[in-house]
């Protein structure tokens, strides 16, 4: 691997410059393409958007420019969902982004029916590539889903935006400058979208069905309270190693 490329990546702030250089080289088919990709990375474009994929739960998830990059900590949410999913479960990946959560859950458990939805057109196109044979709808939360799913969902994955509006400016430039604000901004306290999900989730879940969202540790009790206000029982789970917090709402049986 060219020492010059490694040096340029390191100077741009890439902590794992050697590993990134190897990934860029593997993803390129010519010296000119490699140079273009290095320039994109040095300019701040997320590595996953440059090479066209992100590793998630052992899968390669296609990621296009302008699409939210799945975070490794969200693998915890998928594992929690897998532990709850019954064989043949009916699953919706809401706010699906690239479709990573639905794809990962389907790789781990016997999913009977899988659907996905997102408000962002680029995300919908990306999710359709990652979820062949799956209906991926475009629209605002539950408005995107067909009414035939109401009351039938066993698992609702809802990786909603939860960054407080005033804190977006402090995010890494990769996210702040290259991912749509709609995928990040959760309103004043970060919970605006989660409250909307919580208010309607019980209508879409089957009795005993579960909705899972990611939050920060400090937000978790607010999310749990929103679930309770929506008629769900709520519990908070955490993985300290992954710095991941998931709130699970369950419709009473």
């Amino acid at each position: 691997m060219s020492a010059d490329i490694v040096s340029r990546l390191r100077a741009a702030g890439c902590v794992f410059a050697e590993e990134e250089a190897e990934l860029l080289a593997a993803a390129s088919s010519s010296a000119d393409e490699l140079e273009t990709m290095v320039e994109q990375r040095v300019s701040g474009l997320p590595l996953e958007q440059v090479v066209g994929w992100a590793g998630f739960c052992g899968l390669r998830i296609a990621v296009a420019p302008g699409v939210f990059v799945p975070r490794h900590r969200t693998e915890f949410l998928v594992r929690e969902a897998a532990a709850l999913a019954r064989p043949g479960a009916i699953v919706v990946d809401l706010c699906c982004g690239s479709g990573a959560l639905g794809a990962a859950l389907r790789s781990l458990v016997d999913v009977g029916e899988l659907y996905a939805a997102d408000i962002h057109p680029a995300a919908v196109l990306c999710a359709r590539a990652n979820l062949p044979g799956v209906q991926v709808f475009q629209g605002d939360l539950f408005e995107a889903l067909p009414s035939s799913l109401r009351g039938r969902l066993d698992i609702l994955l809802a990786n909603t935006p939860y960054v407080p509006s005033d804190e977006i400016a402090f995010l890494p430039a990769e996210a702040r400058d290259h991912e749509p604000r709609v995928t990040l901004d959760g309103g004043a306290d970060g919970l605006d979208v989660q409250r909307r999900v919580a208010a309607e989730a019980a209508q879409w879940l089957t009795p005993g069905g579960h909705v899972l969202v990611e939050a920060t540790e400090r937000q978790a009790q607010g999310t749990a309270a929103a679930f309770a206000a929506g008629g769900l029982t709520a519990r908070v789970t955490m993985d300290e190693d992954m710095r991941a917090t998931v709130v699970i709402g369950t419709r009473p049986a």
Side-chain angles (χ1 to χ4, degrees), residues 86-194:
R86 62 173 180 79
I90 299 176
V91 178
V92 162
D93 184 356
L94 200 64
C95 302
C96 67
S98 64
L101 276 65
L105 184 62
R106 187 169 61 173
S107 76
L108 295 174
V109 299
D110 173 22
V111 171
E113 299 176 34
L114 174 62
Y115 305 89
D118 199 283
I119 196 171
H120 199 275
V124 171
L125 290 175
C126 193
R128 286 173 178 162
N130 286 312
L131 297 169
V134 172
Q135 293 186 70
V136 182
F137 305 101
Q138 183 179 337
D140 185 18
L141 298 180
F142 296 104
E143 293 178 6
L145 301 179
S147 59
S148 59
L149 291 176
R150 190 181 296 270
R152 297 181 57 221
L153 305 185
D154 297 295
I155 299 290
L156 174 62
L157 309 169
N159 192 25
T160 64
Y162 59 88
V163 180
S165 302
D166 290 344
E167 295 181 19
I168 289 178
F170 304 107
L171 290 176
E174 293 180 358
R176 184 182 68 242
D177 297 337
H178 297 284
E179 293 178 327
R181 189 179 179 99
V182 70
T183 69
L184 304 170
D185 193 343
D189 63 356
L191 301 183
D192 282 1
V193 184
Q194 292 188 359

Side-chain angles (χ1 to χ4, degrees), residues 2 6 13 16 27 40 42 44 60 62 82 118 124 128 136 147 155 205 226 236 238:
S2 166
V6 173
F16 303 104
Q40 290 175 329
V42 167
R60 278 197 177 194
D118 199 283
V124 171
R128 286 173 178 162
V136 182
S147 59
I155 299 290
L205 295 172
V236 178
M238 288 182 280

